[in-house]
Amino acid sequence: QPQVGESGGGLAQAGGSLRLSCAASGSIHRIDTMGWYRQVPGQQRELVAIIDDRDNTRYADSVKGRFTISRDNAKNTVYLQMDSLKSEDTAVYYCSVKGITVQRPYYNYYWGQGTQVTVSS
């Protein structure tokens, strides 16, 4: 089972910025899509942004123009630069990696444990 770990969450003021990082390690050897999702208690997990192995990106309408997703394939790492933060961005942010491992030689989704982002107004 590969490890997927997020970092960079925390507290920010409205209008401020945070940068999240997520690295996939272990037995994963081919990665297709990497992405960020978020979840607020009592609500469904929602897509924030995803990026494929050709650097094509897709964003939720609520974050377009404010968030930027990028990846470093050499490090199996995906980033989420979050600018102009709003209180409604407060959530637990989860990293998702679609990849192939030796144990599972087909694409599967692997998730991180999540990192809390809190935006104060």
Side-chain angles (χ1 to χ4, degrees), residues 44-96:
Q44 287 189 334
R45 190 172 298 187
E46 65 174 4
L47 170 72
V48 177
I50 56 174
I51 183 168
D52 68 16
D53 58 356
R54 297 182 181 183
D55 285 343
N56 295 309
T57 59
R58 179 158 63 98
Y59 295 90
D61 287 342
S62 59
V63 307
K64 282 181 181 176
R66 300 189 298 119
F67 291 9
T68 303
I69 189 170
S70 61
R71 63 190 280 174
D72 183 335
N73 293 325
K75 297 180 179 179
N76 285 348
T77 299
V78 62
Y79 305 96
L80 185 68
Q81 178 66 41
M82 304 185 293
D83 298 318
S84 302
L85 283 163
K86 303 177 180 179
S87 57
E88 50 262 45
D89 294 320
T90 296
V92 177
Y93 283 69
Y94 296 90
C95 176
S96 172

Side-chain angles (χ1 to χ4, degrees), residues 31-35 50-53 71 96-99 107 109:
I31 296 176
D32 179 14
T33 302
M34 306 180 82
I50 56 174
I51 183 168
D52 68 16
D53 58 356
R71 63 190 280 174
S96 172
V97 176
K98 181 182 177 184
Y107 280 111
Y109 287 91

